[in-house]
Amino acid sequence: MEERNQKNEEQNQEFSFINEKIKEKPVNKRKLAHKIAWVAFCGILFGLVSCITFVAAKPKLEKLMEPEPDHTVTFPPDQREEENNGLAEGDGNVSSSTAANFVAGGLQGTEGITGEPGNSNPSDGSGQPGTGDGQGTAEEPEPVYIEKELEIEDYQILQNKLYAIGKKGNRSVVTVTGVTSNMDWFDSAYESENQASGLIIANNGQELLILTEKKVITNAEAIEITFINDEIAPGVLKKYDGNTGIAIISVALADISEETLGKIDVAVLGNSLAITQGTVVIAIGSPLGVTYSILCGTITSSSNTVSVWDSSYTIFTTDIMGSTKGSGVLVNLNGEVVGLVMQGYSSEGDQNTLTALSISQLKGIIGDLSNGRAIPYLGVKVSTVTDEIARDFGLPKGVYIKSVETDIPSPAMDVGLQEADVIIAMDGEEVLTVEEYTKRLQALEPEQQLKLTVMRQNGNEYIELEFNATVGVLQ
């Protein structure tokens, strides 16, 4: 028993430390304060870095999240308007609106005065006294016109109004300068400049787009654009068409002051398909080689055309005296651009008067160039085989090939197209006019394959042939 008690006592002594009370270590307040301060500092630093990162990344994130703005420039095609030259439809008589402006006795005008009810007969719209319908409808009195002789001062007022249209149009005009470095006979470097008018045709939100002639910037090392207030900004060639000779220059909006942006306008391209012989036009730009000139005149011919590769364009001739180096545009009485002055298209007898290309027929090319798209090229000069021509000369209906470009390699020459061939289909779709041919060609992309169905004379008959051409670009 004693042994057992002794053994228990030894075990109790062995594990006696378990019953000892553990005393907690005292808190080090200084270290605790340091830890709290460090955690707070790290929190502030993390928040600050996060804030800076968010602010820096926000614009990029917004740009990624938002859709890209559309900078595409479009010029809707024009429709040909029916012209009646002031004649009422159906009867061939002078219309009432036109007749009201004609009086006997030479250069005189009219002034309309609404007649008093007791002094004029009611009209039913036919020019005859109205009979009434018994329904109590009030009939408008017929206007009475009195003659008013025009004075010299009236002519000046008219001129002032015409020049006001020109001045407003010149807000859309710039001077395009192509700067080229050369060496003279003594090996001294000098700069030469070519200048012509340009026309502001669009503002796509990033840049101004300017229409001008390619020859001005050929081989130019730098392009300068001078605005109406004489501010100069650098220009960049966006695209040009080696066929028509027109080019589009871009000027970044960031390079143009707010003052200048407030003094310029984007031109409105009008419908030149309505232009006829005798239409009054105003030439602006530098038709005489002097910047911002304004000349008034009329269209003397609107029926002539000029053939270029793969298309033809209407040429407007005017009675406006101009320079062989003249450039600019023709505007109508609404201030809309209807013609692009290009003296290179003048015939030998028209060198001293202004000649312009119909702007409506250029809108498709202008739109493509403005969007950086190359103009498709095949290399043929064509004309439409009309019903009359087909009957008189025994030709198939279609597009007659007058010539094929052979001086330089062309897609038409490469596949074996020949003069006097008649194109009747493109990619299986029938084509009967030059307009259809040009429209289908311009819808293609360079390097795209084009299947041409052609009628070629073989003895006394025509045989059908097919050619697969690769659309090119004329440099």
Side-chain angles (χ1 to χ4, degrees), residues 139-174:
E139 297 178 347
E140 295 183 0
E142 181 181 359
V144 176
Y145 295 90
I146 62 173
E147 297 181 1
K148 178 183 176 182
E149 187 174 353
L150 295 178
E151 303 292 343
I152 296 297
E153 293 79 6
D154 295 326
Y155 179 78
Q156 186 61 61
I157 292 173
L158 179 61
Q159 284 289 87
N160 291 343
K161 289 184 176 181
L162 291 173
Y163 273 75
I165 297 172
K167 288 179 180 178
K168 188 176 187 305
N170 271 331
R171 289 169 58 93
S172 304
V173 173
V174 300

PDB file of all heavy atoms in Angstrom, residues 139-174:
ATOM      1  N   GLU A 139     -62.917  81.870-102.533  1.00  0.00           N
ATOM      2  CA  GLU A 139     -61.983  81.789-103.647  1.00  0.00           C
ATOM      3  C   GLU A 139     -60.970  82.925-103.555  1.00  0.00           C
ATOM      4  O   GLU A 139     -61.340  84.072-103.291  1.00  0.00           O
ATOM      5  CB  GLU A 139     -62.736  81.847-104.973  1.00  0.00           C
ATOM      6  CG  GLU A 139     -63.682  80.668-105.177  1.00  0.00           C
ATOM      7  CD  GLU A 139     -64.436  80.780-106.480  1.00  0.00           C
ATOM      8  OE1 GLU A 139     -64.408  81.873-107.073  1.00  0.00           O
ATOM      9  OE2 GLU A 139     -65.038  79.774-106.898  1.00  0.00           O
ATOM     10  N   GLU A 140     -59.698  82.584-103.796  1.00  0.00           N
ATOM     11  CA  GLU A 140     -58.644  83.588-103.711  1.00  0.00           C
ATOM     12  C   GLU A 140     -58.734  84.557-104.874  1.00  0.00           C
ATOM     13  O   GLU A 140     -59.007  84.147-106.006  1.00  0.00           O
ATOM     14  CB  GLU A 140     -57.263  82.917-103.714  1.00  0.00           C
ATOM     15  CG  GLU A 140     -57.018  82.057-102.484  1.00  0.00           C
ATOM     16  CD  GLU A 140     -55.623  81.478-102.495  1.00  0.00           C
ATOM     17  OE1 GLU A 140     -54.886  81.775-103.464  1.00  0.00           O
ATOM     18  OE2 GLU A 140     -55.282  80.744-101.556  1.00  0.00           O
ATOM     19  N   PRO A 141     -58.486  85.837-104.610  1.00  0.00           N
ATOM     20  CA  PRO A 141     -58.512  86.818-105.707  1.00  0.00           C
ATOM     21  C   PRO A 141     -57.325  86.612-106.635  1.00  0.00           C
ATOM     22  O   PRO A 141     -56.251  86.174-106.206  1.00  0.00           O
ATOM     23  CB  PRO A 141     -58.426  88.159-104.983  1.00  0.00           C
ATOM     24  CG  PRO A 141     -57.739  87.845-103.689  1.00  0.00           C
ATOM     25  CD  PRO A 141     -58.207  86.455-103.305  1.00  0.00           C
ATOM     26  N   GLU A 142     -57.505  86.930-107.890  1.00  0.00           N
ATOM     27  CA  GLU A 142     -56.432  86.811-108.868  1.00  0.00           C
ATOM     28  C   GLU A 142     -55.443  87.955-108.686  1.00  0.00           C
ATOM     29  O   GLU A 142     -55.843  89.116-108.576  1.00  0.00           O
ATOM     30  CB  GLU A 142     -57.013  86.867-110.274  1.00  0.00           C
ATOM     31  CG  GLU A 142     -55.964  86.721-111.370  1.00  0.00           C
ATOM     32  CD  GLU A 142     -56.591  86.813-112.750  1.00  0.00           C
ATOM     33  OE1 GLU A 142     -57.823  86.966-112.842  1.00  0.00           O
ATOM     34  OE2 GLU A 142     -55.820  86.746-113.720  1.00  0.00           O
ATOM     35  N   PRO A 143     -54.118  87.642-108.591  1.00  0.00           N
ATOM     36  CA  PRO A 143     -53.137  88.725-108.416  1.00  0.00           C
ATOM     37  C   PRO A 143     -53.055  89.612-109.644  1.00  0.00           C
ATOM     38  O   PRO A 143     -53.265  89.165-110.768  1.00  0.00           O
ATOM     39  CB  PRO A 143     -51.815  87.974-108.182  1.00  0.00           C
ATOM     40  CG  PRO A 143     -52.026  86.651-108.825  1.00  0.00           C
ATOM     41  CD  PRO A 143     -53.482  86.320-108.659  1.00  0.00           C
ATOM     42  N   VAL A 144     -52.730  90.848-109.404  1.00  0.00           N
ATOM     43  CA  VAL A 144     -52.569  91.817-110.483  1.00  0.00           C
ATOM     44  C   VAL A 144     -51.103  92.210-110.546  1.00  0.00           C
ATOM     45  O   VAL A 144     -50.471  92.454-109.517  1.00  0.00           O
ATOM     46  CB  VAL A 144     -53.449  93.066-110.235  1.00  0.00           C
ATOM     47  CG1 VAL A 144     -53.205  94.118-111.307  1.00  0.00           C
ATOM     48  CG2 VAL A 144     -54.913  92.665-110.202  1.00  0.00           C
ATOM     49  N   TYR A 145     -50.537  92.259-111.746  1.00  0.00           N
ATOM     50  CA  TYR A 145     -49.126  92.590-111.927  1.00  0.00           C
ATOM     51  C   TYR A 145     -49.007  93.956-112.606  1.00  0.00           C
ATOM     52  O   TYR A 145     -49.743  94.252-113.546  1.00  0.00           O
ATOM     53  CB  TYR A 145     -48.424  91.538-112.780  1.00  0.00           C
ATOM     54  CG  TYR A 145     -48.362  90.178-112.120  1.00  0.00           C
ATOM     55  CD1 TYR A 145     -49.376  89.242-112.310  1.00  0.00           C
ATOM     56  CD2 TYR A 145     -47.305  89.857-111.271  1.00  0.00           C
ATOM     57  CE1 TYR A 145     -49.336  88.010-111.692  1.00  0.00           C
ATOM     58  CE2 TYR A 145     -47.260  88.625-110.652  1.00  0.00           C
ATOM     59  CZ  TYR A 145     -48.277  87.705-110.857  1.00  0.00           C
ATOM     60  OH  TYR A 145     -48.238  86.492-110.245  1.00  0.00           O
ATOM     61  N   ILE A 146     -48.082  94.743-112.116  1.00  0.00           N
ATOM     62  CA  ILE A 146     -47.812  96.027-112.751  1.00  0.00           C
ATOM     63  C   ILE A 146     -46.367  96.045-113.230  1.00  0.00           C
ATOM     64  O   ILE A 146     -45.508  95.364-112.673  1.00  0.00           O
ATOM     65  CB  ILE A 146     -48.071  97.197-111.784  1.00  0.00           C
ATOM     66  CG1 ILE A 146     -47.124  97.113-110.576  1.00  0.00           C
ATOM     67  CG2 ILE A 146     -49.529  97.241-111.357  1.00  0.00           C
ATOM     68  CD1 ILE A 146     -47.208  98.313-109.667  1.00  0.00           C
ATOM     69  N   GLU A 147     -46.116  96.783-114.267  1.00  0.00           N
ATOM     70  CA  GLU A 147     -44.771  96.858-114.833  1.00  0.00           C
ATOM     71  C   GLU A 147     -43.898  97.791-114.013  1.00  0.00           C
ATOM     72  O   GLU A 147     -44.361  98.805-113.494  1.00  0.00           O
ATOM     73  CB  GLU A 147     -44.842  97.365-116.270  1.00  0.00           C
ATOM     74  CG  GLU A 147     -45.596  96.442-117.210  1.00  0.00           C
ATOM     75  CD  GLU A 147     -45.625  96.980-118.621  1.00  0.00           C
ATOM     76  OE1 GLU A 147     -45.038  98.056-118.841  1.00  0.00           O
ATOM     77  OE2 GLU A 147     -46.235  96.328-119.478  1.00  0.00           O
ATOM     78  N   LYS A 148     -42.640  97.381-113.901  1.00  0.00           N
ATOM     79  CA  LYS A 148     -41.668  98.219-113.224  1.00  0.00           C
ATOM     80  C   LYS A 148     -40.382  98.201-114.028  1.00  0.00           C
ATOM     81  O   LYS A 148     -39.773  97.142-114.208  1.00  0.00           O
ATOM     82  CB  LYS A 148     -41.394  97.729-111.803  1.00  0.00           C
ATOM     83  CG  LYS A 148     -40.346  98.556-111.067  1.00  0.00           C
ATOM     84  CD  LYS A 148     -40.057  97.986-109.693  1.00  0.00           C
ATOM     85  CE  LYS A 148     -38.948  98.768-109.003  1.00  0.00           C
ATOM     86  NZ  LYS A 148     -38.618  98.207-107.684  1.00  0.00           N
ATOM     87  N   GLU A 149     -39.967  99.319-114.510  1.00  0.00           N
ATOM     88  CA  GLU A 149     -38.765  99.390-115.336  1.00  0.00           C
ATOM     89  C   GLU A 149     -37.520  99.228-114.469  1.00  0.00           C
ATOM     90  O   GLU A 149     -37.409  99.842-113.404  1.00  0.00           O
ATOM     91  CB  GLU A 149     -38.722 100.734-116.070  1.00  0.00           C
ATOM     92  CG  GLU A 149     -37.581 100.812-117.077  1.00  0.00           C
ATOM     93  CD  GLU A 149     -37.635 102.079-117.905  1.00  0.00           C
ATOM     94  OE1 GLU A 149     -38.634 102.815-117.776  1.00  0.00           O
ATOM     95  OE2 GLU A 149     -36.693 102.318-118.659  1.00  0.00           O
ATOM     96  N   LEU A 150     -36.612  98.373-114.924  1.00  0.00           N
ATOM     97  CA  LEU A 150     -35.373  98.146-114.186  1.00  0.00           C
ATOM     98  C   LEU A 150     -34.435  99.329-114.356  1.00  0.00           C
ATOM     99  O   LEU A 150     -34.288  99.881-115.451  1.00  0.00           O
ATOM    100  CB  LEU A 150     -34.689  96.867-114.675  1.00  0.00           C
ATOM    101  CG  LEU A 150     -35.446  95.561-114.429  1.00  0.00           C
ATOM    102  CD1 LEU A 150     -34.666  94.397-115.009  1.00  0.00           C
ATOM    103  CD2 LEU A 150     -35.688  95.344-112.944  1.00  0.00           C
ATOM    104  N   GLU A 151     -33.782  99.697-113.267  1.00  0.00           N
ATOM    105  CA  GLU A 151     -32.820 100.788-113.273  1.00  0.00           C
ATOM    106  C   GLU A 151     -31.399 100.233-113.221  1.00  0.00           C
ATOM    107  O   GLU A 151     -31.186  99.047-112.925  1.00  0.00           O
ATOM    108  CB  GLU A 151     -33.064 101.711-112.076  1.00  0.00           C
ATOM    109  CG  GLU A 151     -34.471 102.288-111.997  1.00  0.00           C
ATOM    110  CD  GLU A 151     -34.763 103.273-113.128  1.00  0.00           C
ATOM    111  OE1 GLU A 151     -33.797 103.754-113.761  1.00  0.00           O
ATOM    112  OE2 GLU A 151     -35.957 103.540-113.387  1.00  0.00           O
ATOM    113  N   ILE A 152     -30.448 101.084-113.495  1.00  0.00           N
ATOM    114  CA  ILE A 152     -29.034 100.683-113.435  1.00  0.00           C
ATOM    115  C   ILE A 152     -28.702 100.161-112.041  1.00  0.00           C
ATOM    116  O   ILE A 152     -27.958  99.193-111.885  1.00  0.00           O
ATOM    117  CB  ILE A 152     -28.118 101.864-113.799  1.00  0.00           C
ATOM    118  CG1 ILE A 152     -28.342 102.290-115.254  1.00  0.00           C
ATOM    119  CG2 ILE A 152     -26.646 101.505-113.564  1.00  0.00           C
ATOM    120  CD1 ILE A 152     -27.981 101.219-116.256  1.00  0.00           C
ATOM    121  N   GLU A 153     -29.259 100.786-111.022  1.00  0.00           N
ATOM    122  CA  GLU A 153     -28.986 100.357-109.654  1.00  0.00           C
ATOM    123  C   GLU A 153     -29.455  98.926-109.415  1.00  0.00           C
ATOM    124  O   GLU A 153     -28.871  98.189-108.619  1.00  0.00           O
ATOM    125  CB  GLU A 153     -29.663 101.294-108.657  1.00  0.00           C
ATOM    126  CG  GLU A 153     -29.098 102.713-108.616  1.00  0.00           C
ATOM    127  CD  GLU A 153     -29.600 103.572-109.771  1.00  0.00           C
ATOM    128  OE1 GLU A 153     -30.470 103.087-110.538  1.00  0.00           O
ATOM    129  OE2 GLU A 153     -29.118 104.707-109.916  1.00  0.00           O
ATOM    130  N   ASP A 154     -30.531  98.525-110.102  1.00  0.00           N
ATOM    131  CA  ASP A 154     -31.027  97.160-109.950  1.00  0.00           C
ATOM    132  C   ASP A 154     -30.013  96.143-110.461  1.00  0.00           C
ATOM    133  O   ASP A 154     -29.873  95.051-109.900  1.00  0.00           O
ATOM    134  CB  ASP A 154     -32.351  96.996-110.706  1.00  0.00           C
ATOM    135  CG  ASP A 154     -33.454  97.855-110.124  1.00  0.00           C
ATOM    136  OD1 ASP A 154     -33.460  98.039-108.897  1.00  0.00           O
ATOM    137  OD2 ASP A 154     -34.282  98.357-110.893  1.00  0.00           O
ATOM    138  N   TYR A 155     -29.312  96.485-111.525  1.00  0.00           N
ATOM    139  CA  TYR A 155     -28.281  95.601-112.056  1.00  0.00           C
ATOM    140  C   TYR A 155     -27.158  95.421-111.037  1.00  0.00           C
ATOM    141  O   TYR A 155     -26.649  94.316-110.837  1.00  0.00           O
ATOM    142  CB  TYR A 155     -27.728  96.166-113.362  1.00  0.00           C
ATOM    143  CG  TYR A 155     -26.641  95.325-113.979  1.00  0.00           C
ATOM    144  CD1 TYR A 155     -26.946  94.166-114.687  1.00  0.00           C
ATOM    145  CD2 TYR A 155     -25.297  95.683-113.850  1.00  0.00           C
ATOM    146  CE1 TYR A 155     -25.956  93.385-115.246  1.00  0.00           C
ATOM    147  CE2 TYR A 155     -24.296  94.906-114.409  1.00  0.00           C
ATOM    148  CZ  TYR A 155     -24.623  93.759-115.105  1.00  0.00           C
ATOM    149  OH  TYR A 155     -23.637  92.977-115.647  1.00  0.00           O
ATOM    150  N   GLN A 156     -26.781  96.512-110.368  1.00  0.00           N
ATOM    151  CA  GLN A 156     -25.732  96.417-109.356  1.00  0.00           C
ATOM    152  C   GLN A 156     -26.189  95.585-108.172  1.00  0.00           C
ATOM    153  O   GLN A 156     -25.412  94.803-107.603  1.00  0.00           O
ATOM    154  CB  GLN A 156     -25.338  97.818-108.885  1.00  0.00           C
ATOM    155  CG  GLN A 156     -24.152  97.834-107.921  1.00  0.00           C
ATOM    156  CD  GLN A 156     -22.897  97.253-108.542  1.00  0.00           C
ATOM    157  OE1 GLN A 156     -22.400  97.775-109.540  1.00  0.00           O
ATOM    158  NE2 GLN A 156     -22.386  96.168-107.971  1.00  0.00           N
ATOM    159  N   ILE A 157     -27.461  95.729-107.812  1.00  0.00           N
ATOM    160  CA  ILE A 157     -27.997  94.912-106.715  1.00  0.00           C
ATOM    161  C   ILE A 157     -27.922  93.432-107.077  1.00  0.00           C
ATOM    162  O   ILE A 157     -27.564  92.589-106.251  1.00  0.00           O
ATOM    163  CB  ILE A 157     -29.450  95.332-106.410  1.00  0.00           C
ATOM    164  CG1 ILE A 157     -29.472  96.745-105.814  1.00  0.00           C
ATOM    165  CG2 ILE A 157     -30.115  94.340-105.462  1.00  0.00           C
ATOM    166  CD1 ILE A 157     -30.863  97.309-105.648  1.00  0.00           C
ATOM    167  N   LEU A 158     -28.276  93.104-108.335  1.00  0.00           N
ATOM    168  CA  LEU A 158     -28.205  91.717-108.787  1.00  0.00           C
ATOM    169  C   LEU A 158     -26.772  91.195-108.741  1.00  0.00           C
ATOM    170  O   LEU A 158     -26.518  90.076-108.279  1.00  0.00           O
ATOM    171  CB  LEU A 158     -28.761  91.611-110.206  1.00  0.00           C
ATOM    172  CG  LEU A 158     -28.750  90.217-110.845  1.00  0.00           C
ATOM    173  CD1 LEU A 158     -29.585  89.253-110.031  1.00  0.00           C
ATOM    174  CD2 LEU A 158     -29.257  90.291-112.280  1.00  0.00           C
ATOM    175  N   GLN A 159     -25.825  92.009-109.198  1.00  0.00           N
ATOM    176  CA  GLN A 159     -24.414  91.618-109.151  1.00  0.00           C
ATOM    177  C   GLN A 159     -23.954  91.383-107.717  1.00  0.00           C
ATOM    178  O   GLN A 159     -23.223  90.438-107.437  1.00  0.00           O
ATOM    179  CB  GLN A 159     -23.544  92.703-109.801  1.00  0.00           C
ATOM    180  CG  GLN A 159     -23.572  92.725-111.318  1.00  0.00           C
ATOM    181  CD  GLN A 159     -22.844  91.527-111.901  1.00  0.00           C
ATOM    182  OE1 GLN A 159     -23.426  90.455-112.081  1.00  0.00           O
ATOM    183  NE2 GLN A 159     -21.578  91.691-112.217  1.00  0.00           N
ATOM    184  N   ASN A 160     -24.390  92.254-106.827  1.00  0.00           N
ATOM    185  CA  ASN A 160     -24.000  92.098-105.422  1.00  0.00           C
ATOM    186  C   ASN A 160     -24.498  90.773-104.854  1.00  0.00           C
ATOM    187  O   ASN A 160     -23.814  90.107-104.079  1.00  0.00           O
ATOM    188  CB  ASN A 160     -24.538  93.257-104.587  1.00  0.00           C
ATOM    189  CG  ASN A 160     -23.843  94.573-104.913  1.00  0.00           C
ATOM    190  OD1 ASN A 160     -22.773  94.596-105.516  1.00  0.00           O
ATOM    191  ND2 ASN A 160     -24.467  95.676-104.525  1.00  0.00           N
ATOM    192  N   LYS A 161     -25.714  90.380-105.249  1.00  0.00           N
ATOM    193  CA  LYS A 161     -26.268  89.123-104.767  1.00  0.00           C
ATOM    194  C   LYS A 161     -25.498  87.932-105.329  1.00  0.00           C
ATOM    195  O   LYS A 161     -25.258  86.946-104.618  1.00  0.00           O
ATOM    196  CB  LYS A 161     -27.742  89.034-105.140  1.00  0.00           C
ATOM    197  CG  LYS A 161     -28.631  89.989-104.355  1.00  0.00           C
ATOM    198  CD  LYS A 161     -30.102  89.799-104.692  1.00  0.00           C
ATOM    199  CE  LYS A 161     -30.970  90.703-103.822  1.00  0.00           C
ATOM    200  NZ  LYS A 161     -32.411  90.524-104.108  1.00  0.00           N
ATOM    201  N   LEU A 162     -25.099  88.020-106.597  1.00  0.00           N
ATOM    202  CA  LEU A 162     -24.309  86.941-107.190  1.00  0.00           C
ATOM    203  C   LEU A 162     -22.950  86.815-106.505  1.00  0.00           C
ATOM    204  O   LEU A 162     -22.499  85.709-106.197  1.00  0.00           O
ATOM    205  CB  LEU A 162     -24.123  87.193-108.688  1.00  0.00           C
ATOM    206  CG  LEU A 162     -25.375  87.066-109.571  1.00  0.00           C
ATOM    207  CD1 LEU A 162     -25.064  87.515-110.993  1.00  0.00           C
ATOM    208  CD2 LEU A 162     -25.883  85.624-109.576  1.00  0.00           C
ATOM    209  N   TYR A 163     -22.320  87.950-106.236  1.00  0.00           N
ATOM    210  CA  TYR A 163     -21.011  87.904-105.599  1.00  0.00           C
ATOM    211  C   TYR A 163     -21.113  87.465-104.144  1.00  0.00           C
ATOM    212  O   TYR A 163     -20.168  86.877-103.599  1.00  0.00           O
ATOM    213  CB  TYR A 163     -20.326  89.269-105.703  1.00  0.00           C
ATOM    214  CG  TYR A 163     -19.556  89.421-107.000  1.00  0.00           C
ATOM    215  CD1 TYR A 163     -20.214  89.630-108.198  1.00  0.00           C
ATOM    216  CD2 TYR A 163     -18.172  89.314-107.022  1.00  0.00           C
ATOM    217  CE1 TYR A 163     -19.524  89.746-109.392  1.00  0.00           C
ATOM    218  CE2 TYR A 163     -17.462  89.435-108.212  1.00  0.00           C
ATOM    219  CZ  TYR A 163     -18.151  89.645-109.401  1.00  0.00           C
ATOM    220  OH  TYR A 163     -17.451  89.743-110.581  1.00  0.00           O
ATOM    221  N   ALA A 164     -22.243  87.719-103.507  1.00  0.00           N
ATOM    222  CA  ALA A 164     -22.432  87.235-102.138  1.00  0.00           C
ATOM    223  C   ALA A 164     -22.447  85.711-102.116  1.00  0.00           C
ATOM    224  O   ALA A 164     -21.915  85.077-101.191  1.00  0.00           O
ATOM    225  CB  ALA A 164     -23.737  87.795-101.565  1.00  0.00           C
ATOM    226  N   ILE A 165     -23.045  85.095-103.147  1.00  0.00           N
ATOM    227  CA  ILE A 165     -23.022  83.631-103.255  1.00  0.00           C
ATOM    228  C   ILE A 165     -21.590  83.134-103.421  1.00  0.00           C
ATOM    229  O   ILE A 165     -21.167  82.155-102.801  1.00  0.00           O
ATOM    230  CB  ILE A 165     -23.893  83.179-104.440  1.00  0.00           C
ATOM    231  CG1 ILE A 165     -25.351  83.560-104.222  1.00  0.00           C
ATOM    232  CG2 ILE A 165     -23.766  81.656-104.646  1.00  0.00           C
ATOM    233  CD1 ILE A 165     -26.239  83.325-105.426  1.00  0.00           C
ATOM    234  N   GLY A 166     -20.824  83.848-104.274  1.00  0.00           N
ATOM    235  CA  GLY A 166     -19.427  83.471-104.482  1.00  0.00           C
ATOM    236  C   GLY A 166     -18.582  83.616-103.230  1.00  0.00           C
ATOM    237  O   GLY A 166     -17.741  82.760-102.924  1.00  0.00           O
ATOM    238  N   LYS A 167     -18.798  84.700-102.482  1.00  0.00           N
ATOM    239  CA  LYS A 167     -18.026  84.914-101.258  1.00  0.00           C
ATOM    240  C   LYS A 167     -18.307  83.819-100.232  1.00  0.00           C
ATOM    241  O   LYS A 167     -17.398  83.345 -99.552  1.00  0.00           O
ATOM    242  CB  LYS A 167     -18.356  86.284-100.671  1.00  0.00           C
ATOM    243  CG  LYS A 167     -17.777  87.447-101.469  1.00  0.00           C
ATOM    244  CD  LYS A 167     -18.149  88.784-100.846  1.00  0.00           C
ATOM    245  CE  LYS A 167     -17.575  89.933-101.654  1.00  0.00           C
ATOM    246  NZ  LYS A 167     -17.968  91.250-101.088  1.00  0.00           N
ATOM    247  N   LYS A 168     -19.559  83.443-100.119  1.00  0.00           N
ATOM    248  CA  LYS A 168     -19.898  82.363 -99.186  1.00  0.00           C
ATOM    249  C   LYS A 168     -19.276  81.047 -99.650  1.00  0.00           C
ATOM    250  O   LYS A 168     -18.764  80.261 -98.849  1.00  0.00           O
ATOM    251  CB  LYS A 168     -21.410  82.215 -99.062  1.00  0.00           C
ATOM    252  CG  LYS A 168     -21.843  81.241 -97.980  1.00  0.00           C
ATOM    253  CD  LYS A 168     -23.340  81.207 -97.828  1.00  0.00           C
ATOM    254  CE  LYS A 168     -23.746  80.357 -96.616  1.00  0.00           C
ATOM    255  NZ  LYS A 168     -23.213  78.995 -96.647  1.00  0.00           N
ATOM    256  N   GLY A 169     -19.311  80.803-100.974  1.00  0.00           N
ATOM    257  CA  GLY A 169     -18.708  79.580-101.502  1.00  0.00           C
ATOM    258  C   GLY A 169     -17.214  79.514-101.267  1.00  0.00           C
ATOM    259  O   GLY A 169     -16.652  78.429-101.064  1.00  0.00           O
ATOM    260  N   ASN A 170     -16.547  80.676-101.270  1.00  0.00           N
ATOM    261  CA  ASN A 170     -15.098  80.695-101.074  1.00  0.00           C
ATOM    262  C   ASN A 170     -14.691  80.303 -99.659  1.00  0.00           C
ATOM    263  O   ASN A 170     -13.509  80.044 -99.411  1.00  0.00           O
ATOM    264  CB  ASN A 170     -14.542  82.083-101.403  1.00  0.00           C
ATOM    265  CG  ASN A 170     -14.164  82.215-102.868  1.00  0.00           C
ATOM    266  OD1 ASN A 170     -13.807  81.230-103.523  1.00  0.00           O
ATOM    267  ND2 ASN A 170     -14.239  83.418-103.401  1.00  0.00           N
ATOM    268  N   ARG A 171     -15.640  80.240 -98.740  1.00  0.00           N
ATOM    269  CA  ARG A 171     -15.322  79.743 -97.393  1.00  0.00           C
ATOM    270  C   ARG A 171     -14.967  78.254 -97.432  1.00  0.00           C
ATOM    271  O   ARG A 171     -14.334  77.737 -96.504  1.00  0.00           O
ATOM    272  CB  ARG A 171     -16.502  79.966 -96.452  1.00  0.00           C
ATOM    273  CG  ARG A 171     -16.747  81.414 -96.075  1.00  0.00           C
ATOM    274  CD  ARG A 171     -18.081  81.583 -95.363  1.00  0.00           C
ATOM    275  NE  ARG A 171     -18.173  80.783 -94.161  1.00  0.00           N
ATOM    276  CZ  ARG A 171     -17.862  81.206 -92.929  1.00  0.00           C
ATOM    277  NH1 ARG A 171     -17.436  82.445 -92.759  1.00  0.00           N
ATOM    278  NH2 ARG A 171     -17.986  80.403 -91.877  1.00  0.00           N
ATOM    279  N   SER A 172     -15.366  77.577 -98.501  1.00  0.00           N
ATOM    280  CA  SER A 172     -15.052  76.148 -98.660  1.00  0.00           C
ATOM    281  C   SER A 172     -13.803  75.918 -99.502  1.00  0.00           C
ATOM    282  O   SER A 172     -13.421  74.772 -99.738  1.00  0.00           O
ATOM    283  CB  SER A 172     -16.240  75.419 -99.313  1.00  0.00           C
ATOM    284  OG  SER A 172     -17.414  75.615 -98.586  1.00  0.00           O
ATOM    285  N   VAL A 173     -13.190  77.006 -99.966  1.00  0.00           N
ATOM    286  CA  VAL A 173     -12.041  76.906-100.870  1.00  0.00           C
ATOM    287  C   VAL A 173     -10.740  77.077-100.096  1.00  0.00           C
ATOM    288  O   VAL A 173     -10.654  77.894 -99.170  1.00  0.00           O
ATOM    289  CB  VAL A 173     -12.143  77.966-101.982  1.00  0.00           C
ATOM    290  CG1 VAL A 173     -10.870  78.004-102.828  1.00  0.00           C
ATOM    291  CG2 VAL A 173     -13.352  77.691-102.869  1.00  0.00           C
ATOM    292  N   VAL A 174      -9.742  76.293-100.437  1.00  0.00           N
ATOM    293  CA  VAL A 174      -8.399  76.416 -99.872  1.00  0.00           C
ATOM    294  C   VAL A 174      -7.391  76.460-101.018  1.00  0.00           C
ATOM    295  O   VAL A 174      -7.737  76.189-102.169  1.00  0.00           O
ATOM    296  CB  VAL A 174      -8.056  75.240 -98.932  1.00  0.00           C
ATOM    297  CG1 VAL A 174      -9.029  75.179 -97.774  1.00  0.00           C
ATOM    298  CG2 VAL A 174      -8.069  73.917 -99.703  1.00  0.00           C
TER     299      VAL A 174
END
